[in-house]
Amino acid sequence: MTIIRSVVSGCGSYLPEKIVTNAQMEDMVDTTDEWIIERTGIRQRHIAADNELTSDLAIKAAQKALIAANIDATDIDLIVLATSTPDQTFPSTATRVQAALGMEKGAAFDVQAVCSGFIYALATADNFIRAGQAKHALVIGAETFSRILDWKDRATCVLFGDGAGAVVLSAQKGEGTNKDQGILSSHLHSDGRYNELLYVDGGVSSTQSTGYLRMRGKEVFRHAVVNLASVVKEALEFNDMTTEDVDMVIPHQANKRILDATIRKLKINPDKVAMTVHKHANTSAASIPLALDEMIREKRIARGDIVVLEAMGGGFTWGSCLIRW
Ligand code: UT7
């Protein structure tokens, strides 16, 4: 049976120039380099310049992904951009990227699933491609989380950073088996009962202000390990695979201890798990494409490899995506 698959034809990322180290955080809040490293694995984060917006980061990542894919922006017929820190309440940040890339056709919109945003965006674009409604799609995760941090709250401000990553998905024929190249499956979940464990205390309709990120870290941590391990298992079972078949896991980069606990739960070789949280901190929807791009540049992913992406974030939302590279 011939079907359409979405193949990753290019990847790119961008990090703002400014780096803030843990030592610099010590000057802002009552914290220490030792505490941050021991509890999170984070050593530094990139922070956008005052005049740099989420769309600026997204555009730079998208341009690199287009070059890597060797595809002109005018050949893109869909942009799905994941962000919780858009430039404006409306229009979407995706349409700003569309205009900046010189595209005059196609569709562009944002998706909002916080740290799971990139998986949600990838699954959305994949469905458009498999339905024959797009041939080449840009999927972007871009965030300026520094803008929604309470820089007086040591429990949250040390954890996050800014950045963007993008992939180009291209339609390709497949046989409908797990030997096909491209996205083999994606699995999305949410449970709105957990809103108050991780949220922003402002919004257009509620306070007419942006608000600040609030988190009950310990509870989020506990849910993250359970949900991430289960959604990776779901993807493997769906494709008749085991952890032995996996060549690389690209997890959302929130906390090294969450990654380590998930690795132990899944009994997967740590060498097969991308780890960039020490350099990037938690960049929400940008963290997976940032890590993915780094793994590609380090040549740790080869054609034919099985790559699993997984994330969990506010909502709660969580999801995974299994790709044959
Ligand atoms: O991306 C979306 C998903 N988000 C996550 O996955 C985040 C999940 N949660 C976490 O990563 C961890 O829970 C944190 C890193 C946020 C916190 O680590 P923890 O081991 O759960 O620490 P805790 O919140 O229980 O705090 C332990 C202590 C507290 O002091 P007391 O009450 O024991 O005296 C905090 O006040 O650490 C204190 N503390 C800090 N100390 C120094 C909290 N933040 C800091 C800080 N520096 N920055």
Side-chain angles (χ1 to χ4, degrees):
M1 182 184 60
T2 304
I3 63 160
I4 304 173
R5 293 284 194 192
S6 310
V7 172
V8 178
S9 49
C11 187
S13 64
Y14 174 77
L15 288 158
E17 252 175 57
K18 184 178 168 189
I19 291 174
V20 176
T21 63
N22 290 349
Q24 288 168 298
M25 295 299 309
E26 289 178 5
D27 297 333
M28 294 184 224
V29 284
D30 179 18
T31 191
T32 60
D33 181 40
E34 293 72 33
W35 190 95
I36 302 172
I37 292 175
E38 192 195 306
R39 301 294 178 117
T40 72
I42 295 166
R43 290 173 184 269
Q44 61 172 48
R45 67 285 294 142
H46 290 252
I47 301 293
D50 289 346
N51 61 354
E52 239 177 352
L53 306 185
T54 294
S55 63
D56 296 315
L57 313 189
I59 290 160
K60 288 185 172 129
Q63 284 166 333
K64 289 184 189 172
L66 288 168
I67 290 168
N70 200 19
I71 284 171
D72 198 88
T74 53
D75 292 326
I76 296 288
D77 30 38
L78 176 70
I79 298 179
V80 187
L81 187 149
T83 191
S84 300
T85 48
D87 292 9
Q88 295 166 286
T89 300
F90 80 80
S92 68
T93 304
T95 55
R96 301 195 77 171
V97 174
Q98 183 190 30
L101 293 177
M103 291 167 56
E104 292 177 9
K105 65 172 182 65
F109 59 90
D110 290 356
V111 301
Q112 213 273 49
V114 206
C115 298
S116 314
F118 188 74
I119 305 264
Y120 270 64
L122 207 59
T124 305
D126 177 43
N127 279 315
F128 271 87
I129 287 179
R130 286 193 293 123
Q133 292 175 352
K135 277 205 169 70
H136 298 288
L138 247 179
V139 182
I140 306 170
E143 302 280 14
T144 47
F145 251 54
S146 59
R147 307 272 154 79
I148 52 165
L149 295 179
D150 175 352
W151 288 95
K152 291 190 180 72
D153 177 15
R154 68 175 184 174
T156 53
C157 74
V158 301
L159 305 174
F160 295 89
D162 301 334
V167 299
V168 177
L169 288 184
S170 299
Q172 184 178 292
K173 282 193 181 131
E175 304 287 321
T177 73
N178 71 4
K179 301 277 182 290
D180 286 349
Q181 191 189 0
I183 296 179
L184 297 182
S185 68
S186 42
H187 308 269
L188 304 183
H189 298 276
S190 64
D191 190 339
R193 290 174 300 166
Y194 296 104
N195 181 298
E196 79 285 1
L197 296 188
L198 177 51
Y199 65 102
V200 168
D201 62 4
V204 182
S205 182
S206 52
T207 59
Q208 297 82 58
S209 64
T210 309
Y212 294 112
L213 184 148
R214 304 294 174 203
M215 177 165 68
R216 283 173 31 203
K218 247 191 197 349
E219 281 109 312
V220 177
F221 190 111
R222 206 162 33 81
H223 283 278
V225 176
V226 173
N227 290 340
L228 290 173
S230 102
V231 84
V232 169
K233 279 188 189 151
E234 184 183 353
L236 291 172
E237 277 164 22
F238 184 87
N239 291 288
D240 288 324
M241 293 183 189
T242 68
T243 46
E244 292 297 309
D245 297 302
V246 176
D247 297 290
M248 178 62 68
V249 180
I250 315 275
H252 165 52
Q253 307 284 317
N255 183 325
K256 184 176 182 300
R257 283 162 52 223
I258 295 180
L259 301 194
D260 291 342
T262 313
I263 287 167
R264 280 195 300 274
K265 222 171 162 56
L266 287 169
K267 298 190 178 61
I268 194 157
N269 177 353
D271 293 344
K272 293 179 171 182
V273 180
M275 195 81 78
T276 54
V277 69
H278 58 295
K279 291 191 291 189
H280 304 160
N282 182 346
T283 57
S284 191
S287 94
I288 287 179
L290 273 164
L292 179 64
D293 192 38
E294 188 158 314
M295 293 307 108
I296 293 168
R297 279 187 280 116
E298 287 178 4
K299 304 208 183 324
R300 287 177 62 188
I301 298 175
R303 276 286 165 222
D305 278 0
I306 291 297
V307 178
V308 180
L309 317 181
E310 43 101 327
M312 142 101 191
F316 287 148
T317 56
W318 65 104
S320 63
C321 183
L322 192 144
I323 307 171
R324 184 177 293 284
W325 208 254

